[in-house]
Amino acid sequence: MTRVVIAPDKFKGSLTAVEAAEAIALGVRDALPDAEIVTCPVADGGEGTLDVLEAAGARIVRLTVRGPLEEAVKASYAVLDGTAYVESARACGIEFVEPSPETALSAHTWGVGELLADALVHGARRLVLTVGGTASTDGGAGMLSALGAGVLDAFGAPVGLGGGTLSRVASTELTPVRERLDGVRVSVATDVTNPLLGASGAAAVFGPQKGAGPSEVRLLDEALGRWAHALRVGGAPDVSGIPGAGAGGGVAAGAIALGATVESGFDLIAGLTGVDEALEGADLVITGEGSLDEQSLNGKAPAGIADRARPRGVPLMALAGRIQLDAAGLARLGVVASSALIDHAPSLDHARAHAAELLRERAADLVRGWRPR
């Protein structure tokens, strides 16, 4: 019997990873009615991670928190085997703002701290903070403030919230947070390797996506430099050059300052969803995401699946909303066949609105053209 593993990430704006896996599975069933199909939706630690965790059996805790621009937002985190998984974007995601120079400076991560605090109150002994898709570039200052830290100017007064206010920060008081985290293991799940500062840092790389123009990028980068210094004043290690500290607008840096370790988001989630076990003895694996591009080659879900399929000799197919990799890029991933939904739809809007049925059709067509070993 042919064994097919289906392991896509989300199709942003259209389908969760779970929904994408279900649609692809229907297409495989259309083409191979007798196949053994194993669905393992995946995530890389960014947006959509909680959907995958819920499918893996996690309990979802819902609460209302302070959003990135002060308005209340409905957020959630996941609990599985005593570990709380907090997805930063649920509290301060970019979807909660209209990106502009003003919001790029004022968006904050206070709500992320509220989610972490709730998990601690309810007995979590391990915290996993997944980052990505945030509206903020505040280095995690809002998050730490919500957990009880002091983020202070030269006169010992709180500087306020938002990345822009960090231009005034001089010191931090971290003892209250350290006491709350005593005995609790903290991890940051990300496959982004950007440092906090500089040309490849949080402000320069991710700030423009959040509405920052050149002057705001410079201001935020300088402010984050002051933030890194203030954390050191509070007894934290130097987070400025640590790979991954720039993830989530630097929210990772705030966690690392308190001793959090950086883990591969994809590896962590893949371990919970059983991808490795599913690939043993598989004849074919199908992965995908909204946009298959150069970023997909660096720690994103398709690259993670490819790295697991290659040594096992399992052929890899890829489905995406759009494919921006050339033949060489696809070959580097080890893709034997691929299809982009946009190439089979009259418009991008149509592809998004009908992503599930298009995925089913494209999966069936790819599998029909494939010959098992």
Side-chain angles (χ1 to χ4, degrees), residues 101-116:
E102 293 75 20
T103 59
L105 295 175
S106 57
H108 59 76
T109 55
W110 181 281
V112 180
E114 289 185 277
L115 293 177
L116 293 169

Side-chain angles (χ1 to χ4, degrees), residues 56-83:
R59 175 173 59 90
I60 303 300
V61 179
R62 294 177 172 82
L63 65 157
T64 300
V65 301
R66 196 172 179 179
L69 296 177
E70 298 306 305
E71 77 293 349
V73 301
K74 293 180 179 180
S76 56
Y77 62 92
V79 179
L80 184 63
D81 299 329
T83 297

Side-chain angles (χ1 to χ4, degrees), residues 277-299:
E277 295 84 353
L279 285 172
E280 294 298 336
D283 298 290
L284 175 68
V285 58
I286 304 175
T287 190
E289 62 179 349
S291 179
L292 197 60
D293 51 34
E294 284 296 325
Q295 287 190 349
S296 303
L297 301 175
N298 299 308

Side-chain angles (χ1 to χ4, degrees), residues 89-172:
R90 296 287 174 136
C92 64
I94 197 165
E95 69 270 20
F96 295 127
V97 308
E98 187 67 38
S100 70
E102 293 75 20
T103 59
L105 295 175
S106 57
H108 59 76
T109 55
W110 181 281
V112 180
E114 289 185 277
L115 293 177
L116 293 169
D118 190 81
L120 289 170
V121 165
H122 289 91
R125 303 311 298 164
R126 184 187 178 205
L127 301 174
V128 176
L129 179 64
T130 76
V131 295
T134 67
S136 56
T137 312
D138 76 345
M143 172 185 73
L144 297 189
S145 296
L147 287 168
V151 180
L152 311 171
D153 64 17
F155 302 99
V159 300
L161 295 174
T165 68
L166 295 177
S167 61
R168 302 194 304 274
V169 72
S171 66
T172 53

